[in-house]
Amino acid sequence: ILLHPLNYLKLKTIKFIRHHLFFILPFLPILFLFNSCKTATYTNVDKVLPAVYTLPAQMMTLNLMDRSIIGNGITPPKYGSSLSVIDNARNTMISDIKNGMPVSNAKILAARLDGHPTRTADMIKPKNITAYSNNSDGLFCLEQFDFQEQRNYKDIRKNQLDKDGKSYTIDAVSATRLIYLRTFWRLYDGKTGRILMEIPQYTEDKFETEGLSRQGVNAHLDTTQTVTVSTLSRQLSRSLIQDINPKQVTSSWTYYKKGNSIIESSANMIKKGDFRNATTYLANNVKSISSEKLKFRANINLITSYFFNKQKDEALQLAAFEYNRTNKREFRELYDKIYIR
């Protein structure tokens, strides 16, 4: 059978790759890395969203305290030699939130555990606040940490097929495991005792299964504990840290750092955020580049520099001109990205 020369070449190439794949694979990551080294990313903070819960600007010191009592009781550290899984989850949560607070000085005080097992702790009376706060500007208290697990069962009938394909029913059990964590935080003014904010939190996880007996479904529920009190407490602590801190909205901008001295010099300026000099330098030198490949890279850098140098019109004009001239999608994408801002 005679093959067209192009088809013959494709066949030979495929055979070569198959025979040498073992030797080629180790070098693929290096090739990808070499290719990616041409570009870098400039991250810009487009705007800062205010926090959901805003701490007073004058609050420089903040103490955290655990006043919660879990629903099934707790052994304070001074009365017991070990802590339960729930105790450890709560302590980790308080530590994580302390580290995520937007204050210059935050620390954790000894736990009081003077709350209630089934509801939020009573508010600290203003006359007692200094005894609690240890003279800090603010006192952030965990007033409730209620973790519960509930299991519900239901007798059901399941359709089955015998070896002859005939249908029959059997007795079975369906089970649902619901675990939830409810917390409540209060921020007190450390000097006056006034309540500055209250933050309730709640999260849950539900898992369903079926089996032939209650013992069987319980065994399944016991061996699928992928979500625990630690999982839920970490989820709530991350959420609280996000809500109590301003949120930066960022955007990423790709620029070129390899090619020739013009591109490399402009990349160093972009990396430092020196867009005024990058704009002037590129505008004066990009026309001297004869290679279309390198001119493309330099123009990407110039358009980006124009935009961040508050020359949006110039950035859009150059992006449109280069797209019409080269039909490169990168110019169109950059035009659209700048246009909507």
Side-chain angles (χ1 to χ4, degrees):
I1 300 174
L2 295 176
L3 295 175
H4 188 278
L6 289 178
N7 290 334
Y8 176 77
L9 181 61
K10 290 179 182 177
L11 183 61
K12 294 291 287 183
T13 302
I14 292 172
K15 287 182 177 180
F16 177 84
I17 292 174
R18 285 177 177 173
H19 289 146
H20 297 82
L21 187 60
F22 178 79
F23 301 99
I24 294 174
L25 283 176
F27 294 97
L28 287 178
I30 298 176
L31 293 175
F32 285 122
L33 180 63
F34 179 78
N35 188 57
S36 64
C37 286
K38 296 181 300 185
T39 62
T41 301
Y42 176 78
T43 301
N44 183 64
V45 178
D46 295 338
K47 58 182 176 180
V48 178
L49 300 178
V52 178
Y53 303 103
T54 304
L55 271 63
Q58 69 274 15
M59 186 172 290
M60 305 302 294
T61 59
L62 180 69
N63 288 337
L64 288 83
M65 177 183 290
D66 179 15
R67 300 182 64 224
S68 68
I69 294 180
I70 59 176
N72 57 353
I74 180 174
T75 301
K78 63 182 179 180
Y79 297 123
S81 59
S82 63
L83 293 176
S84 70
V85 173
I86 296 177
D87 297 337
N88 284 325
R90 183 181 57 254
N91 291 340
T92 300
M93 181 183 195
I94 295 172
S95 177
D96 289 345
I97 290 174
K98 186 265 293 185
N99 294 332
M101 280 291 178
V103 295
S104 58
N105 187 2
K107 65 179 181 179
I108 300 174
L109 302 179
R112 288 273 182 155
L113 305 173
D114 57 351
H116 294 277
T118 58
R119 63 178 176 85
T120 304
D122 293 333
M123 293 179 290
I124 300 174
K125 295 180 179 179
K127 66 179 183 179
N128 298 328
I129 191 62
T130 55
Y132 277 78
S133 68
N134 198 23
N135 295 317
S136 61
D137 295 331
L139 179 66
F140 198 42
C141 290
L142 177 60
E143 311 274 41
Q144 184 179 19
F145 188 95
D146 181 19
F147 173 76
Q148 299 290 337
E149 176 179 334
Q150 299 173 353
R151 295 190 180 189
N152 297 311
Y153 307 91
K154 182 180 179 181
D155 294 328
I156 59 174
R157 300 283 293 175
K158 294 284 292 183
N159 292 325
Q160 303 288 318
L161 294 177
D162 62 18
K163 62 180 181 178
D164 299 321
K166 294 182 179 180
S167 177
Y168 67 97
T169 59
I170 61 171
D171 292 330
V173 178
S174 69
T176 302
R177 182 187 70 219
L178 173 68
I179 62 172
Y180 71 82
L181 176 60
R182 178 180 286 108
T183 64
F184 193 93
W185 295 83
R186 283 195 184 105
L187 177 63
Y188 298 86
D189 185 303
K191 301 296 192 292
T192 67
R194 185 168 63 92
I195 295 176
L196 302 177
M197 66 176 66
E198 294 182 322
I199 306 176
Q201 292 185 292
Y202 177 85
T203 187
E204 67 178 34
D205 180 78
K206 183 182 290 186
F207 180 78
E208 299 178 354
T209 188
E210 294 179 351
L212 298 179
S213 65
R214 183 168 295 196
Q215 181 181 5
V217 296
N218 274 332
H220 193 200
L221 293 177
D222 291 338
T223 55
T224 55
Q225 291 279 6
T226 55
V227 177
T228 65
V229 60
S230 296
T231 312
L232 299 183
S233 64
R234 286 196 301 268
Q235 179 182 339
L236 290 185
S237 62
R238 285 195 299 266
S239 175
L240 181 55
I241 291 170
Q242 291 174 357
D243 287 345
I244 215 160
N245 283 276
K247 181 180 179 180
Q248 291 185 341
V249 179
T250 62
S251 59
S252 298
W253 301 75
T254 300
Y255 62 94
Y256 284 88
K257 59 179 185 177
K258 298 291 184 182
N260 61 15
S261 60
I262 297 174
I263 295 170
E264 292 170 4
S265 295
S266 68
N268 289 330
M269 297 176 195
I270 293 173
K271 182 179 179 180
K272 298 174 183 177
D274 186 6
F275 295 105
R276 183 175 65 84
N277 284 326
T279 298
T280 302
Y281 178 76
L282 284 166
N284 291 334
N285 290 281
V286 70
K287 292 180 181 179
S288 65
I289 301 175
S290 57
S291 166
E292 282 296 327
K293 179 180 178 180
L294 299 184
K295 184 178 290 186
F296 161 79
R297 296 182 185 181
N299 276 318
I300 290 291
N301 287 7
L302 179 54
I303 294 167
T304 304
S305 299
Y306 270 142
F307 175 66
F308 285 110
N309 197 44
K310 303 186 185 305
Q311 294 176 267
K312 182 177 179 179
D313 289 342
E314 288 83 349
L316 291 173
Q317 289 172 10
L318 181 57
F321 176 82
E322 288 300 318
Y323 175 70
N324 291 328
R325 187 179 72 85
T326 65
N327 201 33
K328 295 279 190 181
R329 63 174 177 80
E330 289 87 350
F331 289 118
R332 179 70 205 191
E333 291 170 356
L334 194 51
Y335 179 94
D336 292 341
K337 189 174 184 177
I338 294 173
Y339 182 80
I340 63 175
R341 284 171 164 76

